[in-house]
Amino acid sequence: MVDAAAAPERADGSAFPLYEEQPLVEVRDLVISYRGRPALRDIDLDVYRHEIFGIVGPANSGKTSFLRALNRMDAFNPAMQVAGSIRINGKNINDWRNEYALRSRIGVVFPLPVGLPLSVYDNVAFSPRLRGIRRKARLDEVVERCLTRAALWDEVKDRLDSLGSLLSGGQQQRLTIARALSQEPELLLLDEFSIAVDPVTTMRIEDVLRELRSEITIVLVTNLVQQARRLADRTAFFLTGELVETGVTEDLFEGKVKDRRTTGYLEGRFG
C-alpha cells in the first residue's frame, strides 16, 4: 500500500485519496494465452477507485486481451486461456457464479460502435429493463440521464424512436457509452474508443470521461499516447505481452521512467 502522504497527484492536480483504500481492481500473476500461445505474462497491477487508468503499447502487446480478462470474456472464446488472479472489490472474478452479475458491474466500449438493432431509446433502456425497471417514467429518466452524460441528449432527444444505426459514427460511439453507463457500472473499460471517431467528437468524449471519473473507475486502452497523457492519472506500458512499467502519467512523459523502452515508445521512436 502506498503512503498517502507520498501518493502522487491525479492528472487534474488533485490528491489520490484512493491510495489509502483497497484497489478496485487487483491483478496478480496474470497469464493469457490463445491455444497455448502467450499473449500476456506475469501481469501485476492495481487500478484504484475513481481514477482513469491508461494502457498504451504497440499492436499485439496484449492490451485488449487484458480488458477481455477483466470482463471474463474468455468464457466466449474457447481458444483463450487465463491464469492468475483478478479481483474486483476484493472478490476473485472466477468466484462469481453468475457471470451476468459480474458483467453488469463492468461497462465495455469497443473500438467500433456496436449498437443493438433497436431505437436510440431502446439501446439505452435495454440493460435497465433486464434489471427489472419497467415503469416508463423511470426508464425515461435513465435514458435521458445516460444520454446526457454521454454528451448526446441534445442531438437525439427529438429522434429517440429512430434506429441507433442511423446515427453518425461519432454519435453511435457516444450511444455505446450511454448504453454502457445505463448498466450503472463500477468499472468502465474503453478499448480504442476513438479509432473511428472524428477529432471533435473525440474531444467531446474525453470531456465526458473526465466528468465520469468522479462517479466510476475507467480503464482506457489507447494507441494514442497523447490521449493517455490528456486523460489518464496513471498509465501502464505493455510491450510484446509484458508489463514494462506503470507510473503516474505525467511522470512517464517527463522521462521519469524505470525502463528506457517506455520513453522510446512515448516519444514515437517505435510502435
PDB file of all heavy atoms in Angstrom, residues 51-56 228-229 232-237 243 245-250 252-253 266:
ATOM      1  N   GLU A  51     -10.139   6.566 -10.668  1.00  0.00           N
ATOM      2  CA  GLU A  51      -9.035   7.037 -11.493  1.00  0.00           C
ATOM      3  C   GLU A  51      -9.301   6.614 -12.936  1.00  0.00           C
ATOM      4  O   GLU A  51     -10.073   5.692 -13.214  1.00  0.00           O
ATOM      5  CB  GLU A  51      -7.687   6.498 -11.018  1.00  0.00           C
ATOM      6  CG  GLU A  51      -7.405   5.036 -11.338  1.00  0.00           C
ATOM      7  CD  GLU A  51      -5.942   4.643 -11.069  1.00  0.00           C
ATOM      8  OE1 GLU A  51      -5.042   5.490 -11.267  1.00  0.00           O
ATOM      9  OE2 GLU A  51      -5.708   3.493 -10.666  1.00  0.00           O
ATOM     10  N   ILE A  52      -8.661   7.321 -13.852  1.00  0.00           N
ATOM     11  CA  ILE A  52      -8.594   6.866 -15.234  1.00  0.00           C
ATOM     12  C   ILE A  52      -7.224   6.217 -15.390  1.00  0.00           C
ATOM     13  O   ILE A  52      -6.194   6.872 -15.242  1.00  0.00           O
ATOM     14  CB  ILE A  52      -8.762   8.014 -16.236  1.00  0.00           C
ATOM     15  CG1 ILE A  52     -10.135   8.679 -16.066  1.00  0.00           C
ATOM     16  CG2 ILE A  52      -8.612   7.499 -17.668  1.00  0.00           C
ATOM     17  CD1 ILE A  52     -10.387   9.847 -17.015  1.00  0.00           C
ATOM     18  N   PHE A  53      -7.239   4.927 -15.639  1.00  0.00           N
ATOM     19  CA  PHE A  53      -6.013   4.149 -15.746  1.00  0.00           C
ATOM     20  C   PHE A  53      -5.764   3.859 -17.220  1.00  0.00           C
ATOM     21  O   PHE A  53      -6.556   3.184 -17.868  1.00  0.00           O
ATOM     22  CB  PHE A  53      -6.146   2.842 -14.963  1.00  0.00           C
ATOM     23  CG  PHE A  53      -4.877   2.028 -14.912  1.00  0.00           C
ATOM     24  CD1 PHE A  53      -3.935   2.260 -13.929  1.00  0.00           C
ATOM     25  CD2 PHE A  53      -4.640   1.029 -15.849  1.00  0.00           C
ATOM     26  CE1 PHE A  53      -2.765   1.515 -13.883  1.00  0.00           C
ATOM     27  CE2 PHE A  53      -3.481   0.282 -15.809  1.00  0.00           C
ATOM     28  CZ  PHE A  53      -2.530   0.520 -14.824  1.00  0.00           C
ATOM     29  N   GLY A  54      -4.681   4.401 -17.756  1.00  0.00           N
ATOM     30  CA  GLY A  54      -4.378   4.231 -19.169  1.00  0.00           C
ATOM     31  C   GLY A  54      -3.499   3.019 -19.423  1.00  0.00           C
ATOM     32  O   GLY A  54      -2.657   2.663 -18.586  1.00  0.00           O
ATOM     33  N   ILE A  55      -3.689   2.393 -20.571  1.00  0.00           N
ATOM     34  CA  ILE A  55      -2.818   1.304 -21.019  1.00  0.00           C
ATOM     35  C   ILE A  55      -2.402   1.617 -22.445  1.00  0.00           C
ATOM     36  O   ILE A  55      -3.250   1.780 -23.324  1.00  0.00           O
ATOM     37  CB  ILE A  55      -3.520  -0.064 -20.957  1.00  0.00           C
ATOM     38  CG1 ILE A  55      -3.990  -0.372 -19.534  1.00  0.00           C
ATOM     39  CG2 ILE A  55      -2.579  -1.163 -21.448  1.00  0.00           C
ATOM     40  CD1 ILE A  55      -4.765  -1.673 -19.410  1.00  0.00           C
ATOM     41  N   VAL A  56      -1.103   1.727 -22.666  1.00  0.00           N
ATOM     42  CA  VAL A  56      -0.579   2.024 -24.000  1.00  0.00           C
ATOM     43  C   VAL A  56       0.407   0.940 -24.397  1.00  0.00           C
ATOM     44  O   VAL A  56       0.913   0.182 -23.560  1.00  0.00           O
ATOM     45  CB  VAL A  56       0.101   3.409 -24.042  1.00  0.00           C
ATOM     46  CG1 VAL A  56      -0.885   4.514 -23.691  1.00  0.00           C
ATOM     47  CG2 VAL A  56       1.330   3.457 -23.115  1.00  0.00           C
ATOM     48  N   ALA A 228      -3.660   9.323 -23.809  1.00  0.00           N
ATOM     49  CA  ALA A 228      -3.350   8.845 -22.463  1.00  0.00           C
ATOM     50  C   ALA A 228      -2.820   9.989 -21.602  1.00  0.00           C
ATOM     51  O   ALA A 228      -3.184  10.118 -20.426  1.00  0.00           O
ATOM     52  CB  ALA A 228      -2.338   7.703 -22.521  1.00  0.00           C
ATOM     53  N   ARG A 229      -1.974  10.818 -22.183  1.00  0.00           N
ATOM     54  CA  ARG A 229      -1.412  11.938 -21.419  1.00  0.00           C
ATOM     55  C   ARG A 229      -2.509  12.908 -20.995  1.00  0.00           C
ATOM     56  O   ARG A 229      -2.480  13.441 -19.879  1.00  0.00           O
ATOM     57  CB  ARG A 229      -0.351  12.654 -22.247  1.00  0.00           C
ATOM     58  CG  ARG A 229       0.394  13.719 -21.460  1.00  0.00           C
ATOM     59  CD  ARG A 229       1.557  14.303 -22.249  1.00  0.00           C
ATOM     60  NE  ARG A 229       2.424  15.098 -21.380  1.00  0.00           N
ATOM     61  CZ  ARG A 229       3.582  15.632 -21.763  1.00  0.00           C
ATOM     62  NH1 ARG A 229       4.023  15.430 -23.018  1.00  0.00           N
ATOM     63  NH2 ARG A 229       4.306  16.340 -20.916  1.00  0.00           N
ATOM     64  N   ALA A 232      -5.294  10.100 -18.583  1.00  0.00           N
ATOM     65  CA  ALA A 232      -5.006   9.087 -17.573  1.00  0.00           C
ATOM     66  C   ALA A 232      -4.277   9.658 -16.358  1.00  0.00           C
ATOM     67  O   ALA A 232      -3.341  10.443 -16.492  1.00  0.00           O
ATOM     68  CB  ALA A 232      -4.185   7.961 -18.189  1.00  0.00           C
ATOM     69  N   ASP A 233      -4.702   9.235 -15.189  1.00  0.00           N
ATOM     70  CA  ASP A 233      -3.992   9.572 -13.959  1.00  0.00           C
ATOM     71  C   ASP A 233      -2.691   8.782 -13.873  1.00  0.00           C
ATOM     72  O   ASP A 233      -1.638   9.324 -13.561  1.00  0.00           O
ATOM     73  CB  ASP A 233      -4.863   9.257 -12.745  1.00  0.00           C
ATOM     74  CG  ASP A 233      -6.151  10.046 -12.751  1.00  0.00           C
ATOM     75  OD1 ASP A 233      -6.077  11.281 -12.663  1.00  0.00           O
ATOM     76  OD2 ASP A 233      -7.230   9.442 -12.862  1.00  0.00           O
ATOM     77  N   ARG A 234      -2.807   7.485 -14.137  1.00  0.00           N
ATOM     78  CA  ARG A 234      -1.629   6.621 -14.215  1.00  0.00           C
ATOM     79  C   ARG A 234      -1.709   5.837 -15.520  1.00  0.00           C
ATOM     80  O   ARG A 234      -2.789   5.620 -16.051  1.00  0.00           O
ATOM     81  CB  ARG A 234      -1.562   5.662 -13.025  1.00  0.00           C
ATOM     82  CG  ARG A 234      -1.341   6.366 -11.686  1.00  0.00           C
ATOM     83  CD  ARG A 234      -1.160   5.354 -10.556  1.00  0.00           C
ATOM     84  NE  ARG A 234      -2.302   4.465 -10.473  1.00  0.00           N
ATOM     85  CZ  ARG A 234      -2.216   3.133 -10.362  1.00  0.00           C
ATOM     86  NH1 ARG A 234      -1.035   2.536 -10.341  1.00  0.00           N
ATOM     87  NH2 ARG A 234      -3.309   2.407 -10.268  1.00  0.00           N
ATOM     88  N   THR A 235      -0.555   5.402 -16.002  1.00  0.00           N
ATOM     89  CA  THR A 235      -0.504   4.693 -17.276  1.00  0.00           C
ATOM     90  C   THR A 235       0.418   3.489 -17.159  1.00  0.00           C
ATOM     91  O   THR A 235       1.480   3.566 -16.541  1.00  0.00           O
ATOM     92  CB  THR A 235      -0.011   5.619 -18.407  1.00  0.00           C
ATOM     93  OG1 THR A 235      -0.954   6.680 -18.595  1.00  0.00           O
ATOM     94  CG2 THR A 235       0.149   4.865 -19.715  1.00  0.00           C
ATOM     95  N   ALA A 236      -0.012   2.388 -17.777  1.00  0.00           N
ATOM     96  CA  ALA A 236       0.809   1.184 -17.886  1.00  0.00           C
ATOM     97  C   ALA A 236       1.268   1.041 -19.327  1.00  0.00           C
ATOM     98  O   ALA A 236       0.502   1.281 -20.264  1.00  0.00           O
ATOM     99  CB  ALA A 236       0.004  -0.046 -17.463  1.00  0.00           C
ATOM    100  N   PHE A 237       2.521   0.638 -19.496  1.00  0.00           N
ATOM    101  CA  PHE A 237       3.078   0.411 -20.827  1.00  0.00           C
ATOM    102  C   PHE A 237       3.262  -1.086 -21.036  1.00  0.00           C
ATOM    103  O   PHE A 237       4.020  -1.748 -20.323  1.00  0.00           O
ATOM    104  CB  PHE A 237       4.416   1.143 -20.955  1.00  0.00           C
ATOM    105  CG  PHE A 237       5.177   0.836 -22.217  1.00  0.00           C
ATOM    106  CD1 PHE A 237       4.539   0.779 -23.454  1.00  0.00           C
ATOM    107  CD2 PHE A 237       6.550   0.611 -22.174  1.00  0.00           C
ATOM    108  CE1 PHE A 237       5.240   0.498 -24.610  1.00  0.00           C
ATOM    109  CE2 PHE A 237       7.264   0.337 -23.325  1.00  0.00           C
ATOM    110  CZ  PHE A 237       6.603   0.272 -24.542  1.00  0.00           C
ATOM    111  N   LEU A 243       4.287  -6.322 -19.094  1.00  0.00           N
ATOM    112  CA  LEU A 243       4.046  -5.028 -18.467  1.00  0.00           C
ATOM    113  C   LEU A 243       5.413  -4.426 -18.152  1.00  0.00           C
ATOM    114  O   LEU A 243       6.085  -4.853 -17.206  1.00  0.00           O
ATOM    115  CB  LEU A 243       3.216  -5.180 -17.189  1.00  0.00           C
ATOM    116  CG  LEU A 243       3.072  -3.929 -16.332  1.00  0.00           C
ATOM    117  CD1 LEU A 243       2.444  -2.783 -17.113  1.00  0.00           C
ATOM    118  CD2 LEU A 243       2.251  -4.232 -15.075  1.00  0.00           C
ATOM    119  N   GLU A 245       6.200  -1.174 -17.335  1.00  0.00           N
ATOM    120  CA  GLU A 245       6.109  -0.411 -16.091  1.00  0.00           C
ATOM    121  C   GLU A 245       4.790   0.337 -16.019  1.00  0.00           C
ATOM    122  O   GLU A 245       4.094   0.519 -17.017  1.00  0.00           O
ATOM    123  CB  GLU A 245       7.267   0.569 -15.947  1.00  0.00           C
ATOM    124  CG  GLU A 245       7.323   1.706 -16.935  1.00  0.00           C
ATOM    125  CD  GLU A 245       8.531   2.620 -16.663  1.00  0.00           C
ATOM    126  OE1 GLU A 245       8.538   3.271 -15.596  1.00  0.00           O
ATOM    127  OE2 GLU A 245       9.447   2.655 -17.508  1.00  0.00           O
ATOM    128  N   THR A 246       4.477   0.767 -14.801  1.00  0.00           N
ATOM    129  CA  THR A 246       3.297   1.578 -14.531  1.00  0.00           C
ATOM    130  C   THR A 246       3.738   2.801 -13.736  1.00  0.00           C
ATOM    131  O   THR A 246       4.569   2.682 -12.837  1.00  0.00           O
ATOM    132  CB  THR A 246       2.259   0.793 -13.705  1.00  0.00           C
ATOM    133  OG1 THR A 246       1.887  -0.383 -14.418  1.00  0.00           O
ATOM    134  CG2 THR A 246       1.020   1.625 -13.437  1.00  0.00           C
ATOM    135  N   GLY A 247       3.178   3.955 -14.066  1.00  0.00           N
ATOM    136  CA  GLY A 247       3.552   5.141 -13.313  1.00  0.00           C
ATOM    137  C   GLY A 247       2.547   6.256 -13.487  1.00  0.00           C
ATOM    138  O   GLY A 247       1.619   6.162 -14.303  1.00  0.00           O
ATOM    139  N   VAL A 248       2.721   7.298 -12.702  1.00  0.00           N
ATOM    140  CA  VAL A 248       1.908   8.495 -12.881  1.00  0.00           C
ATOM    141  C   VAL A 248       2.157   9.002 -14.295  1.00  0.00           C
ATOM    142  O   VAL A 248       3.299   9.116 -14.743  1.00  0.00           O
ATOM    143  CB  VAL A 248       2.278   9.569 -11.846  1.00  0.00           C
ATOM    144  CG1 VAL A 248       1.544  10.873 -12.129  1.00  0.00           C
ATOM    145  CG2 VAL A 248       1.978   9.066 -10.444  1.00  0.00           C
ATOM    146  N   THR A 249       1.085   9.258 -15.014  1.00  0.00           N
ATOM    147  CA  THR A 249       1.201   9.528 -16.451  1.00  0.00           C
ATOM    148  C   THR A 249       2.176  10.651 -16.766  1.00  0.00           C
ATOM    149  O   THR A 249       3.062  10.506 -17.617  1.00  0.00           O
ATOM    150  CB  THR A 249      -0.186   9.855 -17.031  1.00  0.00           C
ATOM    151  OG1 THR A 249      -1.052   8.738 -16.794  1.00  0.00           O
ATOM    152  CG2 THR A 249      -0.111  10.133 -18.509  1.00  0.00           C
ATOM    153  N   GLU A 250       2.042  11.777 -16.113  1.00  0.00           N
ATOM    154  CA  GLU A 250       2.891  12.914 -16.439  1.00  0.00           C
ATOM    155  C   GLU A 250       4.354  12.608 -16.133  1.00  0.00           C
ATOM    156  O   GLU A 250       5.256  13.071 -16.836  1.00  0.00           O
ATOM    157  CB  GLU A 250       2.421  14.167 -15.704  1.00  0.00           C
ATOM    158  CG  GLU A 250       2.961  15.471 -16.287  1.00  0.00           C
ATOM    159  CD  GLU A 250       2.631  15.650 -17.774  1.00  0.00           C
ATOM    160  OE1 GLU A 250       1.560  15.194 -18.221  1.00  0.00           O
ATOM    161  OE2 GLU A 250       3.472  16.247 -18.492  1.00  0.00           O
ATOM    162  N   LEU A 252       5.806   9.705 -16.495  1.00  0.00           N
ATOM    163  CA  LEU A 252       6.316   8.901 -17.609  1.00  0.00           C
ATOM    164  C   LEU A 252       6.647   9.788 -18.805  1.00  0.00           C
ATOM    165  O   LEU A 252       7.681   9.610 -19.451  1.00  0.00           O
ATOM    166  CB  LEU A 252       5.299   7.842 -18.004  1.00  0.00           C
ATOM    167  CG  LEU A 252       4.938   6.780 -16.956  1.00  0.00           C
ATOM    168  CD1 LEU A 252       3.954   5.774 -17.542  1.00  0.00           C
ATOM    169  CD2 LEU A 252       6.187   6.060 -16.442  1.00  0.00           C
ATOM    170  N   PHE A 253       5.774  10.746 -19.089  1.00  0.00           N
ATOM    171  CA  PHE A 253       6.002  11.611 -20.248  1.00  0.00           C
ATOM    172  C   PHE A 253       7.151  12.594 -20.011  1.00  0.00           C
ATOM    173  O   PHE A 253       7.734  13.105 -20.971  1.00  0.00           O
ATOM    174  CB  PHE A 253       4.724  12.356 -20.613  1.00  0.00           C
ATOM    175  CG  PHE A 253       3.782  11.539 -21.457  1.00  0.00           C
ATOM    176  CD1 PHE A 253       2.817  10.746 -20.871  1.00  0.00           C
ATOM    177  CD2 PHE A 253       3.884  11.548 -22.841  1.00  0.00           C
ATOM    178  CE1 PHE A 253       1.953   9.971 -21.644  1.00  0.00           C
ATOM    179  CE2 PHE A 253       3.038  10.788 -23.626  1.00  0.00           C
ATOM    180  CZ  PHE A 253       2.065   9.991 -23.031  1.00  0.00           C
ATOM    181  N   LEU A 266       6.890   6.301 -25.925  1.00  0.00           N
ATOM    182  CA  LEU A 266       6.130   7.538 -25.742  1.00  0.00           C
ATOM    183  C   LEU A 266       6.623   8.647 -26.665  1.00  0.00           C
ATOM    184  O   LEU A 266       5.847   9.538 -27.050  1.00  0.00           O
ATOM    185  CB  LEU A 266       6.190   7.989 -24.287  1.00  0.00           C
ATOM    186  CG  LEU A 266       5.526   7.053 -23.269  1.00  0.00           C
ATOM    187  CD1 LEU A 266       5.690   7.609 -21.864  1.00  0.00           C
ATOM    188  CD2 LEU A 266       4.048   6.850 -23.583  1.00  0.00           C
TER     189      LEU A 266
END
